[in-house]
Amino acid sequence: DTGVSQDPRHKITKRGQNVTFRCDPISEHNRLYWYRQTLGQGPEFLTYFQNEAQLEKSRLLSDRFSAERPKGSFSTLEIQRTEQGDSAMYLCASSLRSEQFFGPGTRLTVL
Amino acid sequence: AQRVTQPEKLLSVFKGAPVELKCNYSYSGSPELFWYVQYSRQRLQLLLRHISRESIKGFTADLNKGETSFHLKKPFAQEEDSAMYYCALSEYSGGGADGLTFGKGTHLIIQP
């Protein structure tokens, strides 16, 4: 499968725990994006990378959230001290030009 | 700040009837507009973008800068068109996209 992949697909955690998600983009794509989607809403932009440089961060990305793309390939999104409000689908996308290709998402449930 | 509004949360039409999904945006710069679709149990995928001006699966959308709208239309709905449809906007740069601003989505149901 040459599409965007995300791991894990589902994560259940207790409030206060840290979680980390991984995204593997399409191999030749230089841009990688993270979005969050809650029930009944469209995806909300969190941050994006061009190669290994993080170019933009949304105000939604509190200081408990950090994203990395160390070698310009895969990316990780870490949430520290999770809260119930962090429960959502976390989507990753990659692009070479303007079309963004989305992964299947990681569904996070914080108990 | 940029914003995308999809006024209909749910739209139900009969097979063979025309479909129009509304999208309005607010943005002061030069936007690039997209329609993304998510079929049941599938990932989000691009349906069309205003720059390419193409018709995909019978759908078309015209950017109206005067009305700041990008409505999605299809003359004859088919049952396989049932899905969630999201309108999205980014700043047009030609070389690559910034993060997308999405609307809340319209759930389209095509009744047999």
Side-chain angles (χ1 to χ4, degrees), chain B residues 5-72:
Chain B
T5 304
Q6 293 180 250
E8 304 129 334
K9 202 170 182 177
L10 175 67
L11 184 63
S12 179
V13 302
F14 286 102
K15 177 181 169 183
V19 172
E20 183 179 40
L21 285 79
K22 292 185 167 52
C23 172
N24 288 89
Y25 67 91
S26 61
Y27 184 64
S28 56
S30 181
E32 185 167 6
L33 276 294
F34 305 83
W35 277 98
Y36 277 80
V37 60
Q38 188 166 27
Y39 301 103
S40 179
R41 299 196 180 114
Q42 294 187 28
R43 61 186 68 187
L44 205 55
Q45 58 185 281
L46 180 67
L47 180 62
L48 55 78
R49 63 189 123 175
H50 88 272
I51 285 177
S52 59
R53 302 184 64 83
E54 55 193 345
S55 172
I56 304 292
K57 299 184 180 182
F59 285 97
T60 58
D62 289 318
L63 179 61
N64 185 323
K65 291 187 178 179
E67 295 183 359
T68 59
S69 68
F70 188 56
H71 302 327
L72 183 68

Side-chain angles (χ1 to χ4, degrees), chain A residues 64-80:
Chain A
R64 295 185 298 105
F65 288 68
S66 62
E68 293 183 343
R69 195 183 183 198
K71 295 181 180 178
S73 57
F74 73 91
S75 174
T76 57
L77 177 68
E78 181 184 17
I79 309 174
Q80 296 182 326

Side-chain angles (χ1 to χ4, degrees), chain A residues 4 31 33 35 37 48 98, chain B residues 43 49 86 97-98 100 104:
Chain A
V4 178
R31 291 198 174 194
Y33 309 79
Y35 294 86
Q37 186 173 22
Y48 88 93
S98 63
Chain B
R43 61 186 68 187
R49 63 189 123 175
Y86 295 96
D98 295 337
L100 291 165
K104 292 186 177 183

Side-chain angles (χ1 to χ4, degrees), chain B residues 79-93:
Chain B
E79 287 185 69
E80 55 265 34
D81 296 330
S82 294
M84 279 295 298
Y85 290 80
Y86 295 96
C87 183
L89 173 157
S90 75
E91 182 172 354
Y92 176 64
S93 64

Side-chain angles (χ1 to χ4, degrees), chain A residues 10-14 84 86-88 107-111:
Chain A
H10 303 273
K11 178 71 177 178
I12 299 174
T13 191
K14 292 183 179 177
Q84 287 186 323
D86 296 332
S87 295
R107 182 169 294 283
L108 173 66
T109 302
V110 182
L111 301 176

